[in-house]
Amino acid sequence: MLKGYWGKILRVDLTSGKVSEEKISEEYCQKYLGGVGFAADILLKEVGPEVGALDPGNRLIFGVGPFQASALPGSGKWVAVAKSPLTGAICYSIAGANFGSMLKRAGYDSLIIQGKASRPVYLWINDGEVKIKDAASSWGKDTAETVDIIREELDEPKASVADIGVAGEKLVAIACIAVDKDSYAGRGGLGAVMGSKNLKAVAVKGSQKSEVADPQRTLELAKELNQRIRENAPEAFLKGGTTCETTPTEELGDLPVRYWAGDSGGVWVKEAEKLSYPYYSEALNVDLAKCAKIACRNCPIRCHRYMETEGKYGVTGSGPEYEALGMLGACNLVEDIHAVAKANQLCDLYGIDCISAGAFAAFATECYEKGLLSKEDTFGQELTWGDGDQVIEIVRQLGEREKLGELFAQGIVKAAQKIGGNAPELAVHVKGMDFPAHDPRAFFSLAVSYATSSRGACHTHGLCFKAACGLLLPEMGINEQPDRFVMEGKDFIAAKFHDLSALQDAVTMCNFMMFGGFGVTDMLNSLNAVTGWDWKIEDFLKVGERISTLKRAVNVKWGFSRKDDTLPKAMYRPAKKGSRAGKVPGPLDPALDGYYRLRGWDSDGKPTAETLKELGLTEGL
């Protein structure tokens, strides 16, 4: 009998209304582990290049891994995967709250959703019983209202609800999936994929317990690792969550000030302090006790911020985290933390990725300033830097898909093409995915990582820049802290952190646990305790390599190649001041060649037949 897994995948076809269960073997679990591994394999086999992201034939996959059978720290995570309407590439986005645990306790290792319902519906999964229910009462409602409506209809206050807001219903390409009001599968437009299927939400509750191989050892590891994380994670991180990062990223030239302006170097000292812990916590009345209540399951760090403010920008509930502070704030030169919190709340309620929303607002201002957009184009708005009300209004327009929201409804690439002139050259993205709030000019490893990431510009695809801050991976060959301004060796660092991310997204766990000392060997020990396998480190790392190449194989099947592994021109404009003055990444081509060689891919970035065979990846190609 499988340990740590149910050996079952739930499939729901919304077109026919058919619900079925599919069995998976232990061999399959060992090959892909779960989470993004299972999902990428499903996409490779079932979604061809002719299938559009918003077509009924696209698959939306919610996945968990063996860690959801335990109380290991960081195991509150789960992954949503589909072809992205923003990029056309594979998209995998991680969320938390209580959904992953509930899906596991309901008796499943993955959920596949396909087809399109004839009317708005939601799924109700309760201990193996699955119903497709009418969503008329919640359609048109925001993400928080939807949770309350569905829980009340079901009379299940403890049901976990993954849902979309109005942006997802209107197929906005940056629509996200909200979970239990406080967590978000944010990137790549997976909320629009749900909307295209007329699927408002998935509610789940479970009481079953998936057996682990060694309950005592698993419990000991959970206690030991929780204690280690609490003792070793930076104090500011434990007290302020990711909001403690704004000031240090500014010091490193990593903060996206004024839409990645080339000459500023990210220098924005006093303003960044107003968007950072501890000022953040004081200004927004952060309640640490309530932060604990909205934390993801099994999390010792509890990075979600709960706040209660009044006045023009009053917010009660979850507040902005680092990426929102960077993109809605610094990227738009908005230093008013209350305005940023309000813009972030609107993103949450509409169900919009706050990273891309901030990028869109800043890009619009950049284009307006350069004369590429007129006042007529902006529907009477005069766009200026530092205007919090302007950012809030643009977020609203994005959510409603009106005015500038319609211009950006299909993403930054399509918007830039519509604007014309040199707007496409100004857009900061990879594969159509807007940059998150970390700058490759501050950490050259990010240049390689963003360019080669299978989902586009993404810091969590591999936290490679953290190696330059002292986060080493000795089991994977990263033993020394690298120089952040040297290109040599960054192909290796990017590849290894990509593999680590693949493993984390497969088992499935939060990568923030690394900051408290939950390392690669701990992951392996935990996996062996849960499953009963007797894997060595090389067995474990091989799965990371396999999943990284599997994700690439999906994209290659859909038409991606070396031509898509690029960086925008903005990343080659050096700063005139700050810690990265005069610094830009070296030529990308040598780094791509090195990355491809390490992977066993050809010069165009396509996995070779030998590599696919060696990794056991021949089916579906």
Side-chain angles (χ1 to χ4, degrees), residues 523-534:
M523 291 173 63
L524 173 60
N525 291 339
S526 300
L527 179 67
N528 283 337
V530 169
T531 63
W533 303 339
D534 187 25

Side-chain angles (χ1 to χ4, degrees), residues 99-244:
F99 190 90
S101 174
M102 281 297 189
L103 182 60
K104 193 74 165 185
R105 290 170 69 87
Y108 299 106
D109 299 308
S110 287
L111 163 66
I112 305 171
I113 303 166
Q114 62 194 59
K116 179 180 180 178
S118 59
R119 68 190 191 286
V121 299
Y122 69 92
L123 295 183
W124 169 226
I125 304 169
N126 185 13
D127 272 338
E129 182 182 4
V130 183
K131 295 181 179 179
I132 301 174
K133 300 181 71 67
D134 186 85
S137 61
S138 57
W139 198 257
K141 304 298 185 182
D142 68 39
T143 59
E145 290 176 300
T146 298
V147 172
D148 292 336
I149 290 169
I150 289 177
R151 285 175 174 169
E152 184 176 351
E153 284 183 1
L154 296 173
D155 193 21
E156 293 284 0
K158 293 186 177 180
S160 184
V161 182
D163 68 311
I164 60 173
V166 173
E169 297 173 8
K170 296 189 175 186
L171 309 184
V172 175
I174 60 168
C176 67
I177 301 173
V179 195
D180 298 340
K181 303 181 184 181
D182 297 306
S183 187
Y184 302 87
R187 307 231 65 195
L190 299 184
V193 176
M194 280 184 69
S196 73
K197 297 183 179 301
N198 270 334
L199 180 64
K200 180 65 175 178
V202 178
V204 60
K205 183 182 176 184
S207 60
Q208 305 173 68
K209 190 172 182 180
S210 178
E211 292 185 13
V212 300
D214 190 336
Q216 183 62 33
R217 177 59 176 153
T218 303
L219 182 59
E220 289 172 356
L221 281 167
K223 290 181 178 179
E224 174 191 332
L225 291 165
N226 267 290
Q227 182 176 350
R228 185 194 303 171
I229 291 166
R230 291 192 182 99
E231 292 175 351
N232 291 285
E235 182 180 2
F237 197 42
L238 293 172
K239 290 184 177 180
T242 62
T243 70
C244 72

Side-chain angles (χ1 to χ4, degrees), residues 371-432:
L372 296 169
L373 284 174
S374 67
K375 202 168 182 178
E376 182 180 356
D377 296 325
T378 60
F379 303 91
Q381 286 182 267
E382 183 174 351
L383 303 186
T384 59
W385 296 107
D387 188 337
D389 290 331
Q390 171 183 301
V391 173
I392 290 169
E393 173 58 18
I394 290 176
V395 168
R396 188 197 68 78
Q397 291 179 18
L398 287 169
E400 296 289 350
R401 192 166 176 167
E402 66 177 37
K403 300 181 178 178
L404 285 174
E406 181 59 38
L407 173 65
F408 286 97
Q410 294 178 288
I412 195 86
V413 172
K414 294 289 180 62
Q417 291 171 349
K418 291 177 184 177
I419 292 169
N422 68 333
E425 296 180 5
L426 298 175
V428 177
H429 70 91
V430 172
K431 300 179 177 72

Side-chain angles (χ1 to χ4, degrees), residues 257-544:
V257 177
R258 201 173 177 273
Y259 198 61
W260 315 96
D263 57 354
S264 73
V267 176
W268 206 50
V269 182
K270 295 299 182 182
E271 298 87 348
E273 290 176 357
K274 297 177 184 178
L275 298 180
S276 190
Y277 172 85
Y279 181 88
Y280 173 110
S281 296
E282 296 166 1
L284 296 175
N285 301 315
V286 171
D287 187 324
L288 290 179
K290 291 184 178 179
C291 289
K293 290 183 179 180
I294 64 172
C296 298
R297 190 179 182 90
N298 300 327
C299 181
I301 291 178
R302 301 167 178 174
C303 62
H304 296 328
R305 303 292 88 192
Y306 185 93
M307 60 194 53
E308 295 180 359
T309 62
E310 299 177 349
K312 177 181 179 181
Y313 301 127
V315 172
T316 297
S318 295
E321 298 185 35
Y322 170 73
E323 294 298 327
L325 298 172
M327 299 307 296
L328 296 169
C331 197
N332 287 277
L333 295 187
V334 176
E335 61 186 86
D336 185 340
I337 186 62
H338 296 278
V340 174
K342 189 65 178 181
N344 179 76
Q345 182 190 54
L346 285 181
C347 286
D348 292 349
L349 294 175
Y350 276 114
I352 299 172
D353 172 17
C354 65
I355 295 176
S356 285
F360 289 2
F363 179 67
T365 304
E366 179 91 346
C367 290
Y368 187 88
E369 185 179 64
K370 287 181 165 49
L372 296 169
L373 284 174
S374 67
K375 202 168 182 178
E376 182 180 356
D377 296 325
T378 60
F379 303 91
Q381 286 182 267
E382 183 174 351
L383 303 186
T384 59
W385 296 107
D387 188 337
D389 290 331
Q390 171 183 301
V391 173
I392 290 169
E393 173 58 18
I394 290 176
V395 168
R396 188 197 68 78
Q397 291 179 18
L398 287 169
E400 296 289 350
R401 192 166 176 167
E402 66 177 37
K403 300 181 178 178
L404 285 174
E406 181 59 38
L407 173 65
F408 286 97
Q410 294 178 288
I412 195 86
V413 172
K414 294 289 180 62
Q417 291 171 349
K418 291 177 184 177
I419 292 169
N422 68 333
E425 296 180 5
L426 298 175
V428 177
H429 70 91
V430 172
K431 300 179 177 72
M433 179 81 79
D434 306 280
F435 272 35
H438 294 285
D439 196 320
R441 294 168 295 186
F443 295 96
F444 289 180
S445 59
L446 282 175
V448 188
S449 182
Y450 284 179
T452 57
S453 166
S454 52
R455 77 169 186 173
C458 169
H459 61 301
T460 60
H461 179 80
L463 293 168
C464 58
F465 63 107
K466 292 296 185 181
C469 301
L471 181 64
L472 307 182
L473 305 176
E475 301 96 332
M476 304 179 80
I478 302 176
N479 299 291
E480 297 180 0
Q481 189 169 334
D483 186 328
R484 64 189 179 115
F485 293 126
V486 172
M487 282 293 284
E488 184 180 1
K490 296 306 189 291
D491 47 3
F492 180 83
I493 291 173
K496 295 306 175 183
F497 271 91
H498 286 177
D499 289 350
L500 174 61
S501 177
L503 289 168
Q504 290 169 330
D505 295 347
V507 289
T508 304
M509 64 174 288
C510 177
N511 57 28
F512 284 175
M513 299 303 108
M514 292 191 299
F515 303 155
F518 191 156
V520 177
T521 296
D522 298 309
M523 291 173 63
L524 173 60
N525 291 339
S526 300
L527 179 67
N528 283 337
V530 169
T531 63
W533 303 339
D534 187 25
W535 277 14
K536 308 302 182 194
I537 192 69
E538 54 268 25
D539 303 316
F540 188 49
L541 298 183
K542 181 60 69 175
V543 180

